[in-house]
């Protein structure tokens, strides 16, 4: 059997072109070669303030958008984290093996905590739940962007700590560094494009006019950059490489090198290229969401498959940790 891959995405809002280029596009290819589990990590999404009324809709939207972008329930196990309670059970047991210092050092925790009025323990413990997600399925490979490497390192540490404390049991999950780009915010190219930062992203559900409008407003260069390409323009090139044909990319690179690049022309071409790729995803997502019961059935069927693996792991973990009553 091929190696197992686990990956997750939070239902925190509109899945955007950063998620797509940095993760989803790659997952679509991986499912052809590996034994893949893709999880809508709804328990992760409540580590910051959220609207409970919209949660179900966001889970269905994330599921439909990923399927529309190419994830195939016939090839991969696609499910929601909250349908498999073993995730939180293992997370608690791993919490008891994790030092608070390691959690406090996490860059994402520090960044997200700075944006919160009150910081809940769930936000700090987020990487432990992520470790539980991965270890529960003994996934050998985890496709991650650079931003998630630090979290994965904790998963590896926890696997090692569990193995040395109890018995050699968990494989250490290795990162599968995606070749995908790190896309920055359109309104602020110094921080990454994020679902929860309004104005930073273009969603896979955005209509053509909205895409054009957002790209038109994207930050380019605030002023002279000492001969270096500014982060806003570099980000537009990252997007262009992700969505446009190579000859279009090369054309604009030449224009830039000759210092004759017109931002308006670059933006217009970029918006058109994005819309060409996004339109079929947008349409398929709409069709799927018109039948939410079918989307739920996909999640239930996926959870049933995931649970078979998760229950086996938990029964072995309980034994190893001494819970034998
Ligand atoms: N800007 C990005 N560029 C490239 N890859 C990205 N990913 C996220 N943002 C970018 C990758 O998408 C996958 C799923 O991400 P996630 O939803 O689990 O969490 P996130 O990284 O926290 O994504 P967001 O959009 O920033 O969500 P919020 O705003 O809710 O925190 C991951 O593989 C991630 O690397």
């Amino acid at each position: 059997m091929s190696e197992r891959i686990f990956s997750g995405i939070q239902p925190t809002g509109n899945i955007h072109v950063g998620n797509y280029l940095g993760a989803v596009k790659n997952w679509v290819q991986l499912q052809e070669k590996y034994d893949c589990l893709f999880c809508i990590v709804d328990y992760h999404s409540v580590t910051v303030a959220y609207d409970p009324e919209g949660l179900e809709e966001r889970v269905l939207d994330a599921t439909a958008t990923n399927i529309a972008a190419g994830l195939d329930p016939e090839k991969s196990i696609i499910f929601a984290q909250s349908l498999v309670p073993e995730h939180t059970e293992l997370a608690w047991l791993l919490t008891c093996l994790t030092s608070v210092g390691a959690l406090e050092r996490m860059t994402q925790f520090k960044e997200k905590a700075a944006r919160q009025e009150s910081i809940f323990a769930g936000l700090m413990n987020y990487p432990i739940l992520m470790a539980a997600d991965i270890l529960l399925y003994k996934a050998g490979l985890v496709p991650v962007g650079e931003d998630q490497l630090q979290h994965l390192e904790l998963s590896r540490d926890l696997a090692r700590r569990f193995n040395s404390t109890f018995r050699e049991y968990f494989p250490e999950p290795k990162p599968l560094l995606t070749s995908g780009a790190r896309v920055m915010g359109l309104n602020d190219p110094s921080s990454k494009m994020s679902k929860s930062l309004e104005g930073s992203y273009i969603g896979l559900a955005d209509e053509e006019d909205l895409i054009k409008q957002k790209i038109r407003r994207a930050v380019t260069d605030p002023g002279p950059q000492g001969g270096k390409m500014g982060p806003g323009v570099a980000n537009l090139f990252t997007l262009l490489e992700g969505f446009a044909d190579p000859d279009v990319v090369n054309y604009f690179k030449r224009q830039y090198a000759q210092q004759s690049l017109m931002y308006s022309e670059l933006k217009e071409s970029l918006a058109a290229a994005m819309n060409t790729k996004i339109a079929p995803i947008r349409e398929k997502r709409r069709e799927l969401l018109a039948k939410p019961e079918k989307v739920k059935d996909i999640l239930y069927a996926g959870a049933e498959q995931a649970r078979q693996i998760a229950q086996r792991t938990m029964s072995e973990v309980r034994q190893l940790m001494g819970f034998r009553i």
Side-chain angles (χ1 to χ4, degrees):
M1 201 163 76
S2 57
E3 193 151 19
R4 184 169 289 153
I5 281 187
F6 178 94
S7 209
I9 192 159
Q10 296 192 73
T12 33
N14 300 320
I15 302 210
H16 52 70
V17 294
N19 298 129
Y20 180 69
L21 294 182
V24 183
K25 193 175 164 193
N26 193 41
W27 297 347
V28 173
Q29 288 165 1
L30 291 173
Q31 66 181 350
E32 302 298 332
K33 279 203 290 187
Y34 295 95
D35 170 17
C36 290
L37 290 117
F38 295 113
C39 185
I40 309 299
V41 288
D42 44 2
Y43 279 155
H44 281 276
S45 74
V46 302
T47 51
V48 292
Y50 75 105
D51 164 28
E53 292 315 311
L55 184 55
E56 181 182 354
E57 199 182 315
R58 287 193 299 277
V59 170
L60 295 182
D61 189 350
T63 310
T65 309
N66 276 293
I67 294 173
L71 289 194
D72 182 350
E74 299 288 323
K75 294 178 182 160
S76 305
I77 299 179
I78 302 171
F79 68 108
Q81 194 181 25
S82 60
L83 293 174
V84 182
E86 286 77 10
H87 285 250
T88 41
E89 185 180 357
L90 183 56
W92 171 252
L93 298 176
L94 296 177
T95 302
C96 299
L97 293 174
T98 310
S99 77
V100 173
L103 298 172
E104 283 172 337
R105 280 194 294 276
M106 293 289 160
T107 309
Q108 186 169 304
F109 168 65
K110 288 192 268 189
E111 279 176 10
K112 288 199 172 176
R115 285 187 232 143
Q116 304 297 314
E117 268 178 33
S118 44
I119 303 156
F120 296 116
L123 186 63
M124 191 163 83
N125 292 349
Y126 180 113
I128 309 179
L129 182 57
M130 176 170 154
D133 298 338
I134 297 163
L135 298 182
L136 197 50
Y137 302 100
K138 298 186 187 156
L141 288 174
V142 182
V144 282
E146 247 175 89
D147 59 321
Q148 292 291 332
L149 268 183
Q150 201 185 23
H151 286 171
L152 189 60
E153 204 42 54
L154 184 83
S155 305
R156 291 164 58 77
D157 283 348
L158 283 171
R160 274 196 295 272
R161 192 158 312 150
F162 185 97
N163 293 347
S164 62
T165 310
F166 302 105
R167 199 202 73 194
E168 197 62 34
Y169 182 70
F170 287 120
E172 276 179 43
K174 290 191 220 52
L176 189 64
L177 255 180
T178 51
S179 51
R182 180 168 162 83
V183 182
M184 308 310 284
L186 293 176
N187 55 352
D188 173 13
S190 67
S191 58
K192 74 166 187 151
M193 181 175 282
S194 253
K195 296 181 221 95
S196 49
L197 294 177
E198 203 50 53
S200 79
Y201 67 83
I202 289 184
L204 294 183
D206 285 354
E207 296 293 340
E208 183 171 10
D209 284 349
L210 190 57
I211 296 174
K212 280 189 188 159
Q213 200 187 89
K214 287 182 177 177
I215 291 289
R216 240 183 263 131
R217 284 193 199 141
V219 171
T220 46
D221 276 341
Q225 305 284 313
K228 260 188 73 195
M229 187 184 276
V233 181
N235 197 36
L236 294 182
F237 271 102
T238 301
L239 288 168
L240 197 69
E241 277 167 3
F243 287 99
D245 294 336
D247 51 338
V248 177
V249 180
N250 289 336
Y251 166 79
F252 284 107
K253 279 193 172 160
R254 272 197 309 276
Q255 296 281 310
Y256 180 81
Q258 292 160 5
Q259 299 187 340
S260 51
L261 176 67
M262 302 258 293
Y263 292 147
S264 57
E265 195 192 346
L266 169 68
K267 286 179 166 182
E268 204 177 307
S269 286
L270 173 58
M274 277 181 142
N275 187 56
T276 303
K277 291 263 165 67
I278 290 175
I281 300 176
R282 192 168 61 212
E283 191 46 40
K284 176 102 196 275
R285 169 189 168 274
R286 209 189 334 255
E287 281 167 28
L288 286 161
L289 286 177
K291 294 181 180 147
E293 293 309 317
K294 281 203 168 167
V295 180
K296 281 188 200 172
D297 285 343
I298 292 172
L299 291 176
Y300 296 147
E304 215 174 288
Q305 288 173 278
R307 247 197 128 179
Q308 280 178 19
I309 309 169
Q311 284 177 333
R312 205 176 316 128
T313 303
M314 276 320 300
S315 104
E316 289 166 355
V317 165
R318 278 188 224 107
Q319 279 293 317
L320 290 172
M321 291 185 73
F323 299 97
R324 295 171 194 156
I325 302 174

